[in-house]
Amino acid sequence: MSSSAKPVMACRVCGGAFGAVFCDLGVQPVANSYVPPDRAEAPEPRFPLRCVVCKECRLVQLDTVVDAEGIFSDYAYFSSASASWLDHAARFSREMIGRLGLGPSSFVVEVASNDGYLLRNFVAAGIPCLGVEPAANVAEVARRNGVPTETFFLGEATAKNLVARRGHADLVAANNVFAHVPGINDFTAGLAALAGPRGVVSIEQPHLVRMVDGVQFDTIYHEHYAYWSLLAMEVVLARHGLRVFDVERLPTHGGSVRVLSSAADRGASPALAELRAEEAARGLAGDAFYEGFDARVRDTLSGFRDWLGAARKAGRRIGAYGAAAKGNTFLNAAGVTAADIVAVADRSPAKQGRLLPGSHIPVVTPDALLAMPLDDVLILPWNIADEVAAQLRAGGFRGRILIAVPAMKEIA
C-alpha cells in the first residue's frame, strides 16, 4: 500500500482555484488498506481527508492525492461480493444490448472491470468484450472466470494502443470509477479514444446532490478523488469531445446517475434537460449549495457517539457488518476502536482475518459474527442495508440491526 501523497493546489479538471472547504474528516489511513494481524503494532500511513470546491467548474474534490498505483495495483474490493450489485450489472447489460443493438460483431470495453462481474453478462450473450482492470490480483480472478481482461491504467496513450489492436468500442462502460481517477483529463481522453466517433460512453457515479441530501460523508475517502454533479461531469466530458445525450437516475450507492455521452450529436433527452434544470435550481453553480455540509456531518457523528456511549454503558455487545471503505471512513471519523465494536463481518475472503485500517476491528466471516453473543449489529454499507439485514435475520440474529448515516436508526 502506498505511503506517498501530495497536496493539490488547483482543480484537476480546469485548473481553477479552490473555494471553501466542503467537508473535513481529519487525518485518516487509506480506507481499503486492511491490516494483517502481525502488523497491528506498525504505524499506519495517514493523510488529510478533506474536500474542497472548485470556484470555476464546481467539482468537489480532495485537496490531497494519495498515489493511485499504490491503492489500486493490489485491491481488496471485489464487486461480486454483493448480490444486489450483480443484479444491477445484469440489468445494465440487458438494457445496453437492447438499446445499442449489440451483437456478435460488436465490441464492449469496461474500464475498472474488477472481477468481471459486469462483462460476464456480455460473455454469456456472445458479445466480444474486454475488461481493463489495473489491480492485478482482481484482474486474475476475472480471467479465471472467463472474462478477457488486461491489466493497465487507462489514459489516452493506453486507450489508443488498445484501439490500434482491437478497434473502437461500441460501448465503453465506466461504472463507479470516475471518482477513483486523479488524472481525470487523461482518463476522459482515454474514454473518448476508445469510443471513437460513434461509440457510447456510459458513466455511473454517485450523484453529489444525493450525497448532500443524505449526509453521505462516509463515501469520502482517499480512493475517491472527486464527487460528481452532472454540472461538473459535463465540463470534463466536453473538454474531450464527448456530448452528454441522456441520463438516468439510479438507486445504487445511495443515489447515482448514469450519464451517456458520445462524440456524435445524439440530441438531449428530456431526462437530461430535467436534471440540468434541477441542479441549476439547487444552486450548484454558486456557493450556497456546498455550505453547511460539514456542520451536518458533525451532527451525524455526534449522534452516533452519543448512541455508542449509551450502548456501551448499558453493557451491550456491538458488532458490525460490511468491511467497506465507507465504513472505515465513518469509524475513523467517529474515533471508534476495537474496544467499541468487537468484530465486523464481510463476505470477501480478501478482507477476512485482517484488521480494519485505523480502528483495528477484526474482520470475520458472516457465520463467525452470527456465532458471537451480540446485542446490536451496525450495518456500515447502508446502501445495501436491507439485503444485509435479511441475511442476518435468516442467519438467526435476533438483536437490534442499525445504520448510522444519515442518523442512527434501527431498521430491523
Side-chain angles (χ1 to χ4, degrees):
M1 180 57 65
S2 167
S3 60
S4 64
K6 62 181 180 181
V8 179
M9 308 308 295
C11 175
R12 59 177 55 86
V13 166
C14 71
F18 292 145
V21 171
F22 175 71
C23 184
D24 190 344
L25 295 172
V27 179
Q28 296 204 18
V30 174
N32 275 310
S33 56
Y34 298 88
V35 180
D38 61 359
R39 292 189 53 82
E41 302 305 317
E44 294 177 79
R46 294 172 183 260
F47 310 100
L49 188 57
R50 182 174 52 242
C51 285
V52 292
V53 186
C54 173
K55 291 182 178 179
E56 301 298 325
C57 71
R58 315 310 291 180
L59 177 64
V60 174
Q61 57 200 285
L62 299 185
D63 64 1
T64 298
V65 167
V66 177
D67 171 44
E69 293 202 23
I71 292 175
F72 297 117
S73 59
D74 182 34
Y75 204 44
Y77 178 76
F78 290 81
S79 296
S80 293
S82 169
S84 60
W85 189 245
L86 292 178
D87 291 342
H88 172 73
R91 286 193 299 273
F92 168 83
S93 303
R94 289 193 300 270
E95 290 171 10
M96 289 297 104
I97 289 170
R99 180 169 184 171
L100 302 181
L102 302 176
S105 62
S106 303
F107 184 40
V108 175
V109 175
E110 185 187 13
V111 181
S113 53
N114 202 263
D115 58 9
Y117 74 101
L118 184 146
L119 289 180
R120 67 176 69 171
N121 297 286
F122 292 95
V123 170
I127 298 171
C129 62
L130 179 71
V132 174
E133 172 52 55
N137 63 316
V138 183
E140 180 55 32
V141 172
R143 285 190 285 267
R144 288 202 303 266
N145 290 334
V147 177
T149 304
E150 295 187 17
T151 301
F152 59 85
F153 282 90
L154 183 78
E156 187 171 19
T158 55
K160 287 181 176 178
N161 176 275
L162 179 56
V163 169
R165 292 184 286 116
R166 298 290 302 272
H168 292 298
D170 299 280
L171 171 65
V172 180
N175 295 342
N176 296 290
V177 62
F178 227 53
H180 292 80
V181 182
I184 191 64
N185 279 302
D186 186 45
F187 179 81
T188 308
L191 296 178
L194 286 177
R198 292 178 298 277
V200 169
V201 175
S202 175
I203 298 169
E204 286 185 21
Q205 199 58 46
H207 190 205
L208 181 69
V209 172
R210 294 293 299 274
M211 175 184 174
V212 168
D213 289 349
V215 202
Q216 297 167 5
F217 69 94
D218 53 345
T219 61
I220 298 172
Y221 39 96
H222 295 107
E223 293 94 322
H224 285 172
Y225 299 101
Y227 304 83
W228 291 93
S229 61
L230 175 64
L231 174 68
M233 193 176 292
E234 288 204 86
V235 170
V236 70
L237 291 172
R239 285 172 68 93
H240 301 282
L242 292 170
R243 309 180 189 192
V244 176
F245 63 88
D246 197 10
V247 298
E248 182 180 352
R249 301 173 200 244
L250 304 168
T252 52
H253 295 293
S256 298
V257 288
R258 177 181 297 151
V259 178
L260 300 181
S261 65
S262 176
D265 185 358
R266 296 171 179 254
S269 72
L272 175 58
E274 180 184 317
L275 188 54
R276 283 173 175 164
E278 178 186 322
E279 288 194 352
R282 293 292 299 272
L284 270 73
D287 294 329
F289 175 81
Y290 308 93
E291 295 171 348
F293 184 72
D294 196 62
R296 295 170 65 203
V297 171
R298 307 289 149 223
D299 289 343
T300 295
L301 290 169
S302 178
F304 171 73
R305 291 189 192 103
D306 289 346
W307 173 85
L308 182 63
R312 291 205 63 199
K313 186 175 181 180
R316 300 183 70 86
R317 284 176 54 86
I318 305 166
Y321 193 105
K326 59 164 48 76
N328 293 328
T329 290
F330 176 82
L331 295 171
N332 286 316
V336 174
T337 70
D340 302 306
I341 293 179
V342 297
V344 57
D346 200 276
R347 293 176 59 188
S348 171
K351 299 177 184 179
Q352 293 163 4
R354 297 196 172 200
L355 308 176
L356 296 185
S359 67
H360 284 197
I361 298 168
V363 184
V364 300
T365 66
D367 287 344
L369 188 80
L370 287 167
M372 295 177 180
L374 299 175
D375 300 296
D376 302 317
V377 172
L378 178 68
I379 297 178
L380 296 170
W382 42 259
N383 52 302
I384 56 170
D386 291 342
E387 174 187 340
V388 173
Q391 293 171 4
L392 290 170
R393 290 300 187 222
F397 181 68
R398 295 293 173 259
R400 296 188 302 188
I401 301 175
L402 308 103
I403 57 173
V405 175
M408 288 304 302
K409 177 183 177 182
E410 186 174 349
I411 63 168

